[in-house]
Amino acid sequence: MIKEHLIKSNVTYRDHTSHAVCTGWRLIWGGITSIIHGICPVFFDGVAPRMIIDIYHDHLISHNNKEYKEMIKNARMRNKVKKV
């Protein structure tokens, strides 16, 4: 199962792990900044949304795994979002 995912994604285990851990930390930081911004709006204005957009474009849009394109399409349909 792991090997199948790595083959679909066309990455090595090491690259996959590195990217996943870095993305996880970025998401955690985005969550923390969002909470702080919610409490005190003058701090971290727009940090979390920009981070999510960057992760989306850096990883999902340009990813080799074709299943991600289908995930994006399904998410747009669920949320009734037009293609950007």
Side-chain angles (χ1 to χ4, degrees):
M1 186 178 228
I2 293 171
K3 197 171 194 175
E4 182 181 314
H5 176 68
L6 296 175
I7 290 169
K8 282 186 205 175
S9 300
N10 193 29
V11 292
T12 65
Y13 181 80
R14 182 179 176 187
D15 289 342
H16 179 272
T17 302
S18 172
H19 182 78
V21 169
C22 289
T23 300
W25 282 115
R26 288 172 74 188
L27 289 167
I28 290 168
W29 178 244
I32 291 168
T33 61
S34 185
I35 291 167
I36 293 169
H37 176 73
I39 295 166
C40 190
V42 297
F43 295 114
F44 301 111
D45 187 28
V47 170
R50 279 192 303 272
M51 192 174 299
I52 291 167
I53 291 166
D54 288 346
I55 291 169
Y56 173 78
H57 283 281
D58 292 347
H59 184 66
L60 292 179
I61 293 293
S62 60
H63 202 279
N64 293 325
N65 191 335
K66 303 290 184 241
E67 292 174 356
Y68 287 4
K69 306 277 187 258
E70 191 65 28
M71 283 190 231
I72 292 167
K73 179 181 161 189
N74 291 337
R76 284 187 179 133
M77 288 173 55
R78 275 193 313 273
N79 296 303
K80 298 177 178 78
V81 175
K82 293 180 182 176
K83 191 172 181 177
V84 179

